Amino acid sequence: MKTLNECTITRSVALMTALVFTPRLHAMNDSSLSDEKSWFSLTGKGYVAYQHDSNVGISELDTNSNSADSARYTKGNLKLSIAPTDAWVNDLSVTHSATSYGEQSEFDLDITTLGAVSSYAFEALKVGVHYYDANASLGSDRFLSYEQYGVSAGKLIMQRGYVRLSTDKVAKQFETATNRNSNADSFRADMFWFFEDDDFVELALTYQDEDAVDNVFSFKSNGLELGYSYPVSVLSKVLTFKLAYQLNNRNYANETAGGIGREDDSQRIKLDINYEVLSYLDVVFSARSGDFDSTLAQADYNETIAEIGMNLHF
C-alpha cells in the first residue's frame, strides 16, 4: 500500500486513532459542554478527490512501479457517538476508502475499517480505549487484514497545552505473503500547544517493535513528527493551512538474528489547504513528498503526490 497516501491501512488506522483523541481547546473542559447535549449523535463524511502519484507502489511489499499515474480517491465515514454523560463518550464508526488508478489497475486499493472508541474525562486526565479492524483489497484480490487496539491517557496543561500518551498492540495478516504476518507493540507521545488565534503546533514521538513470521521482516522503528495548523478568514469563511514533517528510522533484524541487516530512513513533508465553502462543504488541496532511503534497493525511492478534492460532511 501507499507509503505517502493515507489510504494505507497502517497509516489510516493510526491517523484515526490520533484524530479521535486530538484535543480542541473548547472541548477539553467538561464544563463547556451543554447540559442539553443529546446522548446520541450521527455524523458522516464523504470525500472525492483526484490525485497524481509520481511513483505508484506497495510499500508493505517493498514494491514500486517507478512510474507515475493518476487516480480517483473516494472515502466515506459514518460515526455514531453515544455519550451517557459529558465525561463519558463512546464512538462506533465505519470507514471505506477506494483508490482507482487510470492505467495501473493492479494497484487499485479498497479499505474498510470498523472502529470502537471509548473515553472518560476525569478531573485530572482523560483516559481512553480503542479498537480498529481493517481489511484491504488490492486489485480485485483480498490483500491484508489489520487489527489494532490500545489505551491512551491525556492531560490539559496550563489551559493551552495537551499531552497524550498511548500504547497499542498491532497484528497484520497478509493473504498471500504470509511470511510477512506480524505482531507489534507501538508507543506514541503527542504534545499540543494552542495559541490565541486558534493555531496550534504538535510534536509526536513514536516507537514500534514489530515481530514477523520471517525474521527478515522484523524491525524496530523510531519516529518524530512535527505539525503546525493555522486558520485564517477569507471572504468570511475559514481557510486552514496545515504543514507536517515526519522522520522515521527502521532497523531490521541483523544477519546473526536471521535477518539481512536492512536499515530504512524516511522523511516526509505534507501541506494541506482546506477552505470552508459552505458549513457542510470544504475544498481540499494537499501535496506530499517523501524521500525513502534504504539499504534494500527496491525500498529506496522518492515519491510525490498532489491531490485536490471536495469534502462533504454533516
Side-chain angles (χ1 to χ4, degrees), residues 25-224:
L25 272 184
H26 66 267
M28 286 193 285
N29 187 334
D30 294 339
S31 63
S32 66
L33 297 177
S34 170
D35 292 337
E36 299 179 358
K37 177 183 174 183
S38 171
W39 277 34
F40 303 91
S41 66
L42 180 66
T43 57
K45 295 181 180 180
Y47 180 67
V48 179
Y50 172 85
Q51 65 177 216
H52 183 79
D53 190 338
S54 68
N55 188 356
V56 180
I58 311 296
S59 64
E60 278 81 356
L61 298 178
D62 298 316
T63 301
N64 291 287
S65 65
N66 292 315
S67 61
D69 201 354
S70 297
R72 181 183 69 255
Y73 176 64
T74 58
K75 185 176 183 179
N77 169 268
L78 282 176
K79 183 175 72 174
L80 173 65
S81 294
I82 305 171
T85 68
D86 287 345
W88 184 23
V89 180
N90 306 279
D91 294 328
L92 300 175
S93 63
V94 57
T95 303
H96 181 78
S97 65
T99 307
S100 301
Y101 289 95
E103 298 179 0
Q104 304 181 64
S105 59
E106 65 273 21
F107 291 106
D108 288 355
L109 183 64
D110 288 85
I111 300 174
T112 300
T113 305
L114 302 177
V117 178
S118 182
S119 64
Y120 193 91
F122 294 94
E123 184 175 348
L125 69 146
K126 180 178 181 179
V127 297
V129 294
H130 51 269
Y131 174 81
Y132 295 98
D133 183 87
N135 289 279
S137 296
L138 186 65
S140 58
D141 300 320
R142 186 168 178 174
F143 168 52
L144 175 65
S145 296
Y146 180 98
E147 185 179 36
Q148 176 181 333
Y149 59 91
V151 298
S152 68
K155 181 176 177 59
L156 179 65
I157 298 175
M158 298 173 60
Q159 299 301 314
R160 288 286 174 184
Y162 191 83
V163 175
R164 173 181 175 267
L165 303 176
S166 64
T167 179
D168 286 84
K169 295 283 188 179
V170 179
K172 291 189 287 187
Q173 298 289 322
F174 290 82
E175 191 68 19
T176 56
T178 55
N179 59 333
R180 292 178 178 263
N181 291 352
S182 65
N183 293 287
D185 295 305
S186 68
F187 305 91
R188 182 181 179 97
D190 291 281
M191 290 151 278
F192 301 85
W193 188 262
F194 294 82
F195 301 99
E196 293 183 358
D197 292 331
D198 290 333
D199 55 328
F200 67 90
V201 294
E202 177 188 5
L203 168 66
L205 302 175
T206 63
Y207 174 80
Q208 182 160 320
D209 186 351
E210 186 161 319
D211 184 23
V213 171
D214 188 338
N215 209 37
V216 168
F217 304 111
S218 298
F219 67 85
K220 295 180 180 180
S221 69
N222 296 282
L224 168 69

Side-chain angles (χ1 to χ4, degrees), residues 3-4 265-268 290-294 299-303:
T3 303
L4 284 178
D265 292 292
S266 64
Q267 296 185 75
R268 305 177 180 92
D291 180 15
F292 304 90
D293 294 324
S294 176
D300 190 273
Y301 64 98
N302 295 304
E303 183 180 25

Side-chain angles (χ1 to χ4, degrees), residues 271-291:
L271 172 66
D272 285 326
I273 301 175
N274 189 100
Y275 184 63
E276 180 190 60
V277 179
L278 299 169
S279 60
Y280 55 87
L281 180 65
D282 302 329
V283 174
V284 181
F285 170 78
S286 68
R288 291 157 277 175
S289 183
D291 180 15

Side-chain angles (χ1 to χ4, degrees), residues 8-27:
T8 302
I9 200 168
T10 306
R11 290 182 52 74
S12 63
V13 172
L15 178 64
M16 284 190 291
T17 305
L19 288 177
V20 166
F21 294 98
T22 298
R24 294 178 175 84
L25 272 184
H26 66 267

